């Protein structure tokens, strides 16, 4: 029916389009709703409270940069291949642990029962497992598998770590403080300073005296007894003065041990204990590490060990404290039967790493784990909840938990909390908002406010789903024809245009809903229609009857949008980078799609502005399409256009080696998707020959390439290149 007089259909659908489409559309845009038939009087405005409830849906939404796997299918395929290779290795180790390891462990235990104190003869260090570790500055400590602690959270200017615990051995000969590197630390650590350094001002050890017998108010609060540290040694020290390891026990908090410039490496310091004080560790011990040499110079990954041997090495074999205690129990009772199940498992977990066959099976398994395919993550900007927000210099809070009703729009006159809700005019169900609202699972990252909104806005029975479908298909029609079935795509209200083809608008909306809200079928439907494929030929009589082409009696040539014109030149030149997502840029010469231009109001992109790119701070439903001289001058003089046409010419060079006719034909095919006419081919070859001769006479050694670039510059300047005709 397109192209016929639509007045009768317009009248027949007046009530529904006015009362349903326009009313709800006006509600979305905050307009006063007009009468269904005459527009002479007004309905009541949409209640202001509805807008507050509607907008509170987005109160907790923030913009954030996150990493996403853009090709999860390929990741699953690679991981599936890895699983087939990894599974036999894991099964072999599991079979050994099930069938052989228990017997070997029992045999080892029998030998351990007979070797009194054997472990103390081969182990240099016992890694302490503190009962408590605290930071005076509020830092937190994450325990790692090797007995170390990763320091996280607050990093104050000065801090003191206090480590307390118990150790079953009376004789302790040395203390070792390790500052270990970690990828999460600045420069790999081992310190928390910006350059990876640390400054350990003072190391002190004290022990609590034995509980008195009898315990009285006078003797029960006896202070800890200090244990002097002597003979300090370190793997590396920053200098031999104020930043040497000896400065960590000199009693001066302004001096201490540091390791600049050896960052990203593990470091250790050993402090010996005099024989007279070596038997003090049978009671609870307290280790304090003070960091006051410089600001924010605490150790980032810490491990503390003790040695039962005199003058122990800086490195050497280590043993976890729990394992040492279990071995002590076996030695003391002459049998492993004394061990509790948890102690038995601790000892087994340690032993298997010493078993040669277990190590032989575990090494390829661990190597396989390191080769496990990981997803290729790309940083993307999202609008969601629960992520770290992108902060701006001038903003206050990241978001507000609540939206308030405001008197006269004044933020200082709050009048109650606006709970998330929808527009009453588009809620046709007795349950009200309860029909669409969903609560998130316990502990979920998002509030489900936007999910509830999506439930409502796509409900075609009791919500505004049909309006949503009409709005979408009208925008699709607008972008294909240059004018929507409703010519004001941002305004379906009484101040907007009437639909030119109401039945068609409804039919396309139903098709969208029936296709599961997928847009591609609607694009295909529009572009294969007779309306879209008709000629652009002008007819004076039809133009007189319908000068604005409202009834689509011809296909009106439509210029491409600014971003697409630029992208088309990049595509023709063969330099368009199709990579998706990632950061924006202000570089006018970048080769990604123009959508990746950063919007900066003080530095807009001239190439886009000249082709009517819209103001970025407001909603623009329909762009203007001006025709001005600077647009033509841009194609002739812009340095980026010239660079891209030179790349375009390079694409044509192989064809030009055969003949200029082949190069011209290939150029037309790439630029405007057709072969040149005989006249175009003849004239273009003549143009190329003249240009090549001109460049050669001027002494240019690349005359042919420059001539081809001129030809390509002509191609991208054609109306046919920038218009859908």
């Amino acid at each position: 029916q397109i192209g016929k007089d639509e007045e009768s259909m317009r009248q027949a659908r007046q009530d529904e389009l006015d009362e349903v489409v326009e009313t709800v559309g006006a509600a979305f845009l905050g307009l006063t709703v007009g009468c269904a038939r005459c527009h002479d009087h007004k309905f009541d405005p949409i209640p202001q409270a509805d807008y507050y409830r509607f907008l509170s849906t987005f109160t907790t939404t923030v913009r954030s940069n996150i990493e996403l796997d853009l090709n999860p299918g390929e990741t699953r395929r690679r991981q599936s291949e890895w699983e087939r290779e990894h599974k036999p290795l894991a099964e072999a180790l599991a079979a050994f642990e099930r069938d052989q390891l228990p017997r070997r462990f029992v045999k080892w235990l029998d030998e351990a029962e007979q070797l009194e104190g054997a472990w103390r003869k081969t182990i240099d260090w016992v890694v302490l497992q503190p009962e408590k570790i605290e930071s005076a500055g509020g830092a937190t400590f994450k325990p790692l598998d090797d007995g170390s602690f990763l320091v996280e959270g607050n990093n104050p200017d000065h801090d003191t770590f206090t480590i307390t615990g118990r150790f079953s051995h009376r004789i302790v000969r040395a203390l070792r403080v390790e500052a270990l590197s970690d990828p999460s630390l600045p420069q790999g650590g081992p310190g928390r300073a910006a350059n990876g350094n640390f400054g350990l001002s003072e190391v002190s050890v004290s022990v609590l005296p034995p509980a008195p017998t009898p315990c009285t108010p006078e003797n029960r609060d006896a202070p800890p007894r200090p244990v002097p540290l002597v003979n300090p040694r370190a793997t590396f020290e920053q200098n031999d003065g104020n930043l040497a390891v000896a400065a960590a026990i000199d009693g001066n908090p302004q001096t201490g041990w540091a390791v600049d410039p050896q960052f990203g490496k593990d470091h250790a310091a050993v402090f010996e204990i005099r024989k007279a004080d070596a038997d003090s560790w049978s009671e609870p011990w307290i280790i304090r590490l003070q960091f006051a040499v410089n600001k924010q110079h605490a150790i980032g990954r810490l491990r503390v060990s003790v040695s039962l041997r005199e003058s122990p090495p800086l490195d050497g074999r280590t043993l976890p404290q729990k394992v040492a205690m279990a071995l002590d129990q076996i030695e003391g009772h002459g049998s492993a039967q004394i061990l509790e199940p948890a102690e038995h498992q601790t000892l087994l977990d340690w032993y298997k790493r010493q078993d040669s066959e277990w190590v032989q099976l575990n090494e390829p398994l661990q190597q396989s784990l390191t080769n496990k395919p990981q997803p290729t993550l790309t940083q993307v900007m999202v609008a969601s909840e629960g992520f770290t927000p992108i902060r701006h210099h001038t903003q206050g809070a990241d978001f507000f938990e609540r939206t308030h009703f405001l008197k006269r729009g004044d933020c200082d006159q709050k009048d109650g909390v606006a709970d998330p809700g929808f527009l009453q005019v588009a809620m046709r169900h007795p349950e009200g908002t309860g029909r669409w609202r969903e609560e998130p699972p316990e502990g979920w990252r998002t509030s489900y406010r936007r999910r509830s909104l999506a439930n409502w806005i796509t409900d075609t029975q009791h919500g505004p789903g049909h309006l949503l479908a009409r709005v979408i298909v009208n925008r699709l029609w607008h972008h294909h024809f240059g004018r929507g079935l409703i010519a004001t795509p941002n305004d379906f209200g009484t101040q907007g245009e009437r639909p030119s083809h109401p039945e068609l608008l409804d039919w396309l909306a139903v098709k969208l809903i029936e296709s599961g809200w997928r847009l591609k079928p609607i694009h295909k439907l529009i572009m294969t229609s007779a309306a879209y494929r008709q000629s652009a030929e002008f007819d004076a009589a039809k133009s007189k009857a319908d000068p604005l082409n409202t009834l689509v009696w011809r296909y009106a040539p439509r210029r491409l949008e600014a971003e697409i014109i630029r992208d088309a030149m990049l595509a023709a030149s063969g330099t368009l980078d199709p990579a998706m997502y990632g950061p924006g840029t202000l570089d006018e010469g970048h080769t990604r799609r123009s959508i990746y231009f950063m919007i900066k109001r003080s530095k807009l992109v001239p190439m886009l502005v000249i082709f009517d790119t819209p103001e970025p701070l407001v909603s623009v439903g329909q762009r203007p399409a001006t025709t001005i001289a600077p647009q033509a001058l841009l194609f002739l003089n812009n340095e980026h256009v010239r660079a891209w046409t030179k790349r375009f010419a390079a694409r044509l060079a192989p064809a030009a080696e055969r003949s200029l006719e082949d190069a011209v034909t290939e150029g037309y095919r790439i630029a405007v998707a057709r072969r040149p006419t005989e006249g175009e081919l003849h004239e273009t070859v003549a143009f190329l020959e003249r240009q090549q001769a001109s460049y050669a006479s001027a002494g240019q050694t690349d005359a042919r390439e420059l001539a081809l670039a001129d030809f390509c510059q002509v191609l991208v300047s054609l109306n046919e290149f920038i218009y859908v005709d």
Side-chain angles (χ1 to χ4, degrees):
Q1 298 295 317
I2 298 176
K4 294 185 178 180
D5 183 4
E6 301 291 341
E7 184 59 28
S8 59
M9 289 185 284
R10 183 181 298 112
Q11 293 297 328
R13 301 292 288 171
Q14 182 79 43
D15 289 349
E16 180 182 355
L17 289 170
D18 277 359
E19 293 180 356
V20 179
V21 178
E22 293 188 2
T23 299
V24 181
F28 278 117
L29 297 173
L31 303 174
T32 302
V33 180
C35 175
R37 292 180 172 80
C38 66
H39 290 243
D40 288 340
H41 62 274
K42 301 292 183 182
F43 291 130
D44 291 336
I46 302 300
Q48 187 182 45
D50 272 15
Y51 296 121
Y52 284 109
R53 295 189 182 98
F54 185 82
L55 293 174
S56 69
T57 298
F58 304 98
T59 299
T60 55
T61 302
V62 298
R63 290 186 302 166
S64 181
N65 288 322
I66 65 172
E67 291 187 327
L68 291 179
D69 182 5
L70 303 182
N71 195 354
E74 174 63 18
T75 300
R76 287 193 295 270
R77 184 192 65 79
R78 291 188 293 115
Q79 289 182 345
S80 178
E81 294 178 356
W82 173 84
E83 283 284 355
R84 286 195 294 271
E85 299 176 357
H86 179 78
K87 187 176 179 180
L89 300 175
E91 290 176 344
L93 183 62
F96 175 81
E97 291 182 345
R98 181 185 63 248
D99 301 331
Q100 300 183 46
L101 185 63
R103 294 197 300 270
R104 299 169 70 90
F105 181 53
V106 169
K107 181 181 178 182
W108 177 82
L109 282 176
D110 290 341
E111 296 173 353
E113 292 170 4
Q114 302 169 14
L115 299 175
E116 181 177 348
W119 70 269
R120 284 193 289 275
K121 300 175 183 177
T122 58
I123 297 298
D124 298 298
W125 295 99
V126 176
V127 178
L128 296 179
Q129 293 172 299
E131 295 176 356
K132 184 187 296 184
I133 178 168
E134 295 177 311
S135 159
T140 59
F141 298 88
K142 178 182 177 181
L144 303 180
D145 292 340
D146 63 353
S148 65
F149 291 87
L150 185 63
V151 187
E152 299 178 323
N154 194 35
N155 186 18
D157 287 347
H158 302 133
D159 206 348
T160 299
F161 298 167
T162 302
I163 309 164
T164 58
R166 294 175 181 269
F167 192 54
S168 59
H169 296 275
R170 293 180 58 84
I171 307 300
V172 172
R173 300 291 190 182
L175 170 72
R176 181 175 67 176
V177 176
E178 291 180 272
L180 305 175
S181 61
D182 192 88
S184 66
L185 297 172
Q187 305 296 320
R192 303 189 75 190
N195 64 351
N197 202 5
F198 64 88
L200 179 56
S201 304
E202 290 295 315
V203 180
S204 63
V205 176
S206 57
V207 294
L208 293 172
T213 304
C215 181
T216 66
E218 290 76 18
N219 64 16
R220 67 186 177 191
D221 294 325
R225 182 170 63 85
V227 177
L229 302 176
V230 297
N231 301 331
R233 293 175 284 134
T235 52
F236 176 80
E237 48 194 359
Q238 189 163 326
N239 59 39
D240 58 0
N242 292 339
L243 297 176
V245 68
I249 56 172
D250 65 357
N252 182 1
Q254 303 305 312
T255 63
W257 175 44
V259 294
D260 189 357
Q262 291 199 7
F263 310 131
K265 298 180 179 180
D266 295 343
H267 293 279
V270 170
F271 306 90
E272 296 183 14
I273 299 172
R274 296 180 304 191
K275 290 184 178 181
D277 301 293
D279 63 347
S280 304
W281 289 68
S282 58
E283 301 302 329
W285 44 262
I286 304 169
I287 301 172
R288 285 190 174 87
L289 307 178
Q290 184 181 3
F291 303 94
V293 172
N294 206 339
K295 291 183 177 181
Q296 298 185 328
H297 270 56
I299 290 175
R301 183 177 162 208
L302 172 71
R303 183 166 62 188
V304 179
S305 309
V306 294
S307 179
L308 312 184
R309 307 175 66 180
E310 293 187 29
S311 301
L314 282 164
D315 48 8
R317 295 190 63 189
T318 62
L319 195 67
Q321 181 177 331
K322 288 185 177 180
V323 173
M325 294 172 66
L327 292 172
D328 271 349
Q329 290 192 61
I330 294 175
E331 179 185 336
H333 294 82
S335 172
Q337 301 298 322
I338 190 65
L339 297 179
E340 297 289 337
E343 296 171 327
H344 187 276
Q345 185 63 45
T346 297
L347 201 55
L348 174 60
D349 290 340
W350 175 80
Y351 162 76
K352 68 183 182 184
R353 287 172 171 77
Q354 324 305 316
D355 185 278
S356 59
E357 291 193 28
W358 186 92
V359 170
Q360 188 175 359
L361 291 170
N362 184 60
E363 284 181 353
L365 180 67
Q366 296 304 314
Q367 182 61 42
S368 175
L369 288 172
T370 61
N371 295 332
K372 182 177 181 179
Q374 300 299 319
T376 301
L377 300 178
T378 301
Q379 189 178 82
V380 300
M381 182 187 290
V382 298
S384 187
E385 299 173 90
F387 292 124
T388 301
I390 299 173
R391 290 194 57 82
H392 297 277
H393 296 299
T394 58
Q395 78 179 61
D398 292 325
F399 62 88
F400 298 97
E401 291 285 352
R402 295 179 175 180
T403 298
H404 292 86
F405 297 111
L406 304 177
K407 292 182 179 180
R408 301 180 63 82
D410 186 351
C411 295
D412 294 328
Q413 297 188 57
K414 296 180 175 61
D415 190 21
V417 176
D419 293 325
F422 315 119
L423 305 182
Q424 297 178 37
V425 70
M427 290 194 296
R428 301 184 296 276
H429 196 276
E431 293 182 30
T433 59
R435 172 176 174 79
W436 303 285
R437 183 164 294 161
E438 285 191 48
E439 296 298 326
E442 185 177 354
W444 197 247
R445 176 177 54 82
T446 64
S447 66
Y448 268 43
R449 293 181 183 183
R450 293 178 302 154
R451 184 185 183 96
S452 301
L453 173 66
N455 292 338
W456 169 70
I457 205 172
T458 56
D459 189 337
T460 58
Q461 299 299 318
H462 305 287
H466 277 288
L467 171 65
L468 174 65
R470 287 184 178 97
V471 170
I472 294 174
V473 297
N474 185 67
R475 289 185 183 276
L476 296 185
W477 189 276
H478 162 77
H479 284 291
H480 284 299
F481 286 88
R483 175 189 175 95
L485 297 171
I486 294 179
T488 51
N490 262 18
D491 192 348
F492 273 41
T494 57
Q495 298 183 56
E497 294 287 335
R498 289 279 185 258
S500 60
H501 302 75
E503 282 76 10
L504 176 60
L505 182 66
D506 283 355
W507 183 75
L508 288 172
V510 170
K511 285 293 184 182
L512 176 64
I513 295 169
E514 289 177 348
S515 68
W517 299 93
R518 292 184 299 117
L519 300 182
K520 190 171 288 187
I522 307 303
H523 281 293
K524 181 178 180 180
L525 188 62
I526 291 174
M527 296 181 73
T528 56
S529 69
Y532 185 82
R533 293 184 295 166
Q534 66 184 323
S535 170
E537 184 178 350
F538 184 79
D539 186 293
K542 292 178 180 178
S543 175
K544 185 176 181 180
D546 181 18
L548 297 180
N549 194 30
T550 303
L551 302 180
V552 198
W553 53 268
R554 68 187 283 258
Y555 184 87
R558 179 174 55 85
R559 197 188 71 200
L560 298 175
E561 295 172 337
E563 297 89 342
I564 302 176
I565 291 174
R566 179 182 178 276
D567 294 352
M569 285 190 282
L570 285 170
S573 69
T575 59
L576 180 65
D577 181 358
M580 296 179 66
Y581 307 106
T585 181
L586 287 172
D587 176 13
E588 295 180 42
H590 81 95
T591 58
R592 301 185 69 199
R593 293 169 55 211
S594 301
I595 195 175
Y596 292 104
F597 271 121
M598 183 186 301
I599 300 298
K600 186 174 183 180
R601 286 173 289 173
S602 62
K603 191 178 179 182
L604 298 177
V605 181
M607 184 179 294
L608 302 186
V609 173
I610 205 170
F611 282 105
D612 309 308
T613 187
E615 160 62 43
L617 296 182
V618 297
S619 175
V620 178
Q622 187 172 13
R623 297 187 185 189
T626 62
T627 301
I628 55 177
Q631 293 168 347
L633 295 175
L634 178 137
F635 286 110
L636 294 175
N637 302 319
N638 184 272
E639 60 177 331
H640 301 298
V641 173
R642 184 61 178 175
W644 297 331
T645 53
K646 284 184 176 180
R647 295 294 299 272
F648 189 179
R651 292 185 68 185
L652 303 184
E657 294 297 328
R658 297 192 299 268
S659 68
L660 290 179
E661 287 80 0
D662 287 345
V664 171
T665 301
E666 181 69 4
Y668 269 86
R669 184 191 66 79
I670 293 173
V672 294
R674 66 173 177 85
R675 295 178 62 87
T677 64
E678 287 295 329
E680 289 171 333
L681 182 61
H682 175 75
E683 291 180 4
T684 305
V685 169
F687 168 77
L688 284 171
E689 290 173 344
R690 289 196 305 271
Q691 291 297 98
Q692 185 174 344
S694 175
Y695 283 122
S697 64
Q700 298 285 354
T701 58
D702 54 349
R704 170 169 288 204
E705 290 78 5
L706 292 173
L708 285 173
D710 292 344
F711 163 58
C712 292
Q713 198 161 355
V714 170
L715 284 177
V716 300
S717 302
L718 295 175
N719 276 349
E720 190 176 355
F721 184 79
I722 65 172
Y723 273 80
V724 180
D725 188 353

